[in-house]
Amino acid sequence: MKQPTYFLSHGGGPWPWMDGDFRQAHAQLEASLQAVPSALPEAPRAILMISAHWEAPAFTVQTAARPGMLYDYSGFPPHTYEVQYPAPGDPALAERVVALIEAAGLPAARDAQRGFDHGAFCTLVPMYPQANVPVVQLSLKQGLDPAEHLALGRALAPLRDEGVLILGSGFSFHNLGLMFNGRGQAPSVAFDAWLQSALLSPEGRAERLRAWAQAPAARQAHAREEHLLPLMVAAGAAEGEAGSCNYHETEYLGGITASSFRFG
């Protein structure tokens, strides 16, 4: 059965391994991630993960059979630099992804050394805590062109009929300078309202995403758009299909409005 695609807000740093107030701030997000597997038509044979935390000159595919870990955060407790998410890779799927990208006339590359970054493993651990679903990561392309990433999604769409769950991991609002001083509330509300309007219906969705920077509070929500670009891939892979919001809260980290979306 055809798998849906998702754009998932992935939360802050290594939050699944934290406790106290910081962990509690992720309670609604955690519940939404835990609910994803039961909402699928069947268990995926593998996951293709597009994380905001990997950019490369070409769309680069993780090819390792046993990817390691990449602790791409700072200032967290020592134990968070030892956590493991030992999901296997899938070299055959990696080659299939390369072939689809190249067939679409897009640039592709391979990386046998890249480990899972926190955009991947912090999203996956609530969903599949046993790490028993193979995972392949795929980079964004430097330049962060929305049209290129929508085209990437279209190229990857056949994977959905092959049991592959395509996940874009980023954040619907990502301006750290505004998150922690109370000034992010209004722009997060405005940009989230635009996302809800733009994403739920397929009509005109691609055109609106290509012009996302014209949305209300767009550059306050994403001063740099790497955390939004995984959305383009998820939406492109489900072009013409309806969207729904599977996570929404208005008090993330004390006042930010944040959302995640499903397509198909």
Side-chain angles (χ1 to χ4, degrees):
M1 297 179 69
K2 178 180 285 190
Q3 293 286 358
T5 72
Y6 284 84
F7 170 66
L8 300 172
S9 290
H10 63 225
W15 65 266
W17 289 275
M18 302 284 284
D19 53 21
D21 290 345
F22 189 72
R23 176 63 181 271
Q24 185 58 36
H26 291 81
Q28 290 187 54
L29 176 61
E30 183 171 21
S32 73
L33 293 170
Q34 290 170 335
V36 168
S38 63
L40 301 177
E42 60 186 14
R45 73 169 182 86
I47 291 168
L48 181 63
M49 169 65 72
I50 301 93
S51 167
H53 291 272
W54 188 13
E55 300 172 38
F59 293 117
T60 302
V61 185
Q62 180 189 59
T63 61
R66 288 285 174 183
M69 299 286 282
L70 180 60
Y71 305 115
D72 55 338
Y73 40 74
S74 61
F76 289 93
H79 77 272
T80 64
Y81 299 90
E82 299 176 0
V83 300
Q84 295 292 315
Y85 188 76
D90 189 333
L93 173 58
E95 290 303 316
R96 171 73 169 139
V97 171
V98 169
L100 288 171
I101 295 171
E102 291 180 338
L106 298 168
R110 300 168 178 83
D111 189 328
Q113 306 303 316
R114 175 85 181 190
F116 296 133
D117 61 53
H118 84 271
F121 61 77
C122 289
T123 305
L124 291 169
V125 70
M127 295 172 58
Y128 296 101
Q130 301 304 311
N132 56 355
V133 179
V135 179
V136 171
Q137 270 201 245
L138 171 60
S139 79
L140 303 175
K141 181 176 177 290
Q142 290 173 359
L144 304 178
D145 180 3
E148 283 189 307
H149 290 78
L150 285 162
L152 173 66
R154 294 186 196 104
L156 299 173
L159 296 174
R160 297 173 56 203
D161 290 309
E162 300 169 18
V164 178
L165 178 62
I166 298 173
L167 300 179
S169 174
F171 212 90
S172 61
F173 180 92
H174 192 259
N175 185 330
L176 300 183
L178 299 183
M179 269 189 180
F180 299 107
N181 62 12
R183 293 190 293 122
Q185 184 172 14
S188 71
V189 168
F191 190 71
D192 192 271
W194 179 85
L195 286 173
Q196 303 290 340
S197 172
L199 298 181
L200 302 192
S201 170
E203 185 174 355
R205 184 164 63 209
E207 291 77 9
R208 297 182 78 175
L209 287 176
R210 280 194 291 269
W212 76 271
Q214 308 306 313
R219 283 298 178 185
Q220 291 174 282
H222 293 278
R224 190 175 187 275
E225 57 264 44
E226 79 286 344
H227 273 70
L228 189 66
L229 265 291
L231 165 62
M232 311 302 173
V233 186
E239 196 163 48
E241 299 180 55
S244 59
C245 180
N246 69 300
Y247 156 71
H248 177 78
E249 69 171 298
T250 59
E251 290 296 327
Y252 176 73
L253 290 181
I256 297 299
T257 295
S259 295
S260 297
F261 297 90
R262 169 183 166 136
F263 303 98

